[in-house]
Amino acid sequence: MEFIFEKIYVPNNHSFISRKLPLSSDARIHSHKNFELNYITSGTGRRIVGDNISGFEKGDLVLLGPELPHCWELLDAEKDEDPSCIVTHFSENIIDNEFFKMPELQNVVVLLKQANRGIRFRTENDSEISEILTELSQSVGLEYYIGLLRIFNLLIKIEDRERLSNPMNRSSVFTKNIEKINKVYEYVFLNIQEGINLEEASSVLNMAPSSFCRFFKKKTGLTFMEYVKNVRVGMAAKLLAETDKQITQICYESGYNNLANFNHYFKASMGKTPSEYRKNFR
């Protein structure tokens, strides 16, 4: 898996760009300036958003804030259907537009500000959303804006939402160094199960470990090991919720080599032991 800095810019005369794209088993983690709304129309696989690793399936609907690293990696496809998703990019400056300062749109502004961690919307009846997004991928002119408002109107009404990633630094300093930070994220996600080594991570940026640690903390607001811990706990939480694997097995698959440490760090992050956390989904 490769990280890229995807330079997507919405033209000044458009509110957004909407496209239907194929899903790939060779997905690349990337980030860009715009907001993104991602809707899976076919296929299942693994989703990475910030420090969160989750599964996805048809109907998966996620809103992402600017510069939040992400990818959707295809693992399986439905029979007789090409795996695909509808990706819509909104300008990162959209909430600064005078139009969005109307009182009627304040809930939309709040929602977009919350998207800095990634939001997954859970809805059993997504036929209307699917229809509108399909229309958007084929729309031009004023139809763009009408469709945009219809989508926002539906999203703010969905109460069942999941914040995906832990908060991440979004300063201008982070933006200027995003390609370097993405290389570190790549190393973590590729090696999380086998083991993370500080010297190896430092070598990705050709830095000494001490310099690397200062750089990572300054640019992201987290220490490197705090970030690694978040990724491990996020992976473990997903496995506990969605599989019947033994807790010991999940411990090792999440990159821990000691069950006691796993229990300690999981409870410190989630407020519950792994077994207590699993009971919420049974």
Side-chain angles (χ1 to χ4, degrees), residues 3 181-192 195-204 212 224 228:
F3 276 58
I181 297 298
N182 278 352
K183 289 181 180 180
V184 180
Y185 292 161
E186 176 186 26
Y187 168 79
V188 172
F189 282 112
L190 290 178
N191 295 278
I192 194 68
I196 303 298
N197 181 285
L198 178 58
E199 294 214 356
E200 285 184 359
S202 305
S203 68
V204 170
F212 169 79
F224 177 63
V228 171

Side-chain angles (χ1 to χ4, degrees), residues 55-269:
F56 71 81
E57 59 186 9
K58 183 176 179 179
D60 192 74
L61 181 64
V62 171
L63 178 65
L64 305 173
E67 297 170 351
L68 183 59
H70 60 276
C71 84
W72 274 249
E73 181 184 16
L74 177 70
L75 299 180
D76 196 13
E78 287 88 2
K79 291 182 179 179
D80 303 321
E81 274 193 273
D82 292 329
S84 61
C85 61
I86 298 175
V87 181
T88 301
H89 290 103
F90 313 111
S91 170
E92 67 276 15
N93 298 318
I94 195 169
I95 57 179
D96 296 324
N97 190 293
E98 287 297 322
F99 180 72
F100 278 82
K101 294 180 181 179
M102 296 173 57
E104 293 81 359
L105 294 176
Q106 287 312 294
N107 286 340
V108 175
V109 173
V110 171
L111 180 67
L112 291 175
K113 288 181 178 180
Q114 293 174 346
N116 66 331
R117 293 173 56 183
I119 303 172
R120 179 192 175 199
F121 298 89
R122 294 191 179 94
T123 173
E124 295 181 359
N125 182 15
D126 61 355
S127 58
E128 189 174 4
I129 290 174
S130 175
E131 179 181 345
I132 296 174
L133 287 175
T134 300
E135 290 175 359
L136 285 183
S137 66
Q138 304 165 356
S139 297
V140 295
L142 184 59
E143 292 180 356
Y144 272 145
Y145 299 92
I146 296 172
L148 175 63
L149 293 176
R150 290 174 67 195
I151 283 295
F152 283 157
N153 186 48
L154 291 173
L155 293 181
I156 61 176
K157 292 178 180 178
I158 300 175
E159 296 182 356
D160 192 356
R161 308 172 187 175
E162 176 189 2
R163 296 286 190 90
L164 294 175
S165 174
N166 282 291
M168 302 181 73
N169 191 314
R170 286 291 167 269
S171 67
S172 59
V173 174
F174 177 89
T175 302
K176 292 176 182 178
N177 291 276
I178 195 167
E179 291 181 80
K180 290 183 178 180
I181 297 298
N182 278 352
K183 289 181 180 180
V184 180
Y185 292 161
E186 176 186 26
Y187 168 79
V188 172
F189 282 112
L190 290 178
N191 295 278
I192 194 68
Q193 291 183 315
E194 288 74 17
I196 303 298
N197 181 285
L198 178 58
E199 294 214 356
E200 285 184 359
S202 305
S203 68
V204 170
L205 299 185
N206 297 314
M207 291 182 175
S210 57
S211 299
F212 169 79
C213 289
R214 288 193 297 271
F215 171 84
F216 192 87
K217 176 66 182 292
K218 182 178 180 180
K219 308 312 179 190
T220 68
L222 296 171
T223 68
F224 177 63
M225 294 315 298
E226 283 174 339
Y227 175 74
V228 171
K229 183 184 72 172
N230 288 345
V231 173
R232 284 176 172 160
V233 169
M235 177 182 289
K238 200 66 180 177
L239 291 172
L240 288 165
E242 297 184 350
T243 75
D244 293 320
K245 293 181 178 180
Q246 295 292 322
I247 290 178
T248 301
Q249 182 180 353
I250 291 175
C251 163
Y252 294 122
E253 288 189 11
S254 302
Y256 291 94
N257 55 17
N258 181 291
L259 187 59
N261 285 340
F262 170 60
N263 287 329
H264 171 75
Y265 285 117
F266 191 92
K267 184 173 184 179
S269 295

